[in-house]
């Protein structure tokens, strides 16, 4: 737990703004095994897309039921 939240809860909090987030943000939050938690969240039905902006890999949460998907133009 970090600040009273499970690692999965913290990842969802970080991703909840619908913007892309990168590895550094997860590390700075204390999440060293964030990829394992992302896999667990995907198994639980969360749609977390892997993206790449330039050379930077990142992740973005797609909200269920959105009329428009989160896209990077």
């Amino acid at each position: 737990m970090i600040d009273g939240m499970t690692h999965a809860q913290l990842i969802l909090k970080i991703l909840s703004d619908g913007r892309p987030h990168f590895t550094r943000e997860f590390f700075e939050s204390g999440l060293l095994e964030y990829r394992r938690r992302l896999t667990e969240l995907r198994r639980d039905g969360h749609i977390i897309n892997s993206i790449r902006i330039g050379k930077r890999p990142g992740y973005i949460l797609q909200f269920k039921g959105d009329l428009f998907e989160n896209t990077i133009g």
Side-chain angles (χ1 to χ4, degrees), residues 7-66:
H7 290 195
Q9 289 170 330
L10 183 55
I11 287 174
L12 285 176
K13 180 181 175 188
I14 292 169
L15 294 174
S16 67
D17 63 3
R19 296 182 8 221
H21 292 275
F22 303 95
T23 302
R24 176 169 293 224
E25 294 173 72
F26 297 114
F27 280 131
E28 289 174 353
S29 296
L31 297 163
L32 302 179
E33 294 188 9
Y34 70 92
R35 285 182 283 193
R36 183 177 294 182
R37 301 299 162 247
L38 287 169
T39 299
E40 291 171 1
L41 288 167
R42 287 173 172 146
R43 284 185 191 145
D44 289 343
H46 296 279
I47 302 169
I48 302 171
N49 297 316
S50 298
I51 60 169
R52 185 172 290 276
I53 298 178
K55 293 184 178 183
R56 296 177 64 196
Y59 302 92
I60 190 165
L61 178 66
Q62 179 180 326
F63 297 99
K64 297 177 186 177
D66 277 355

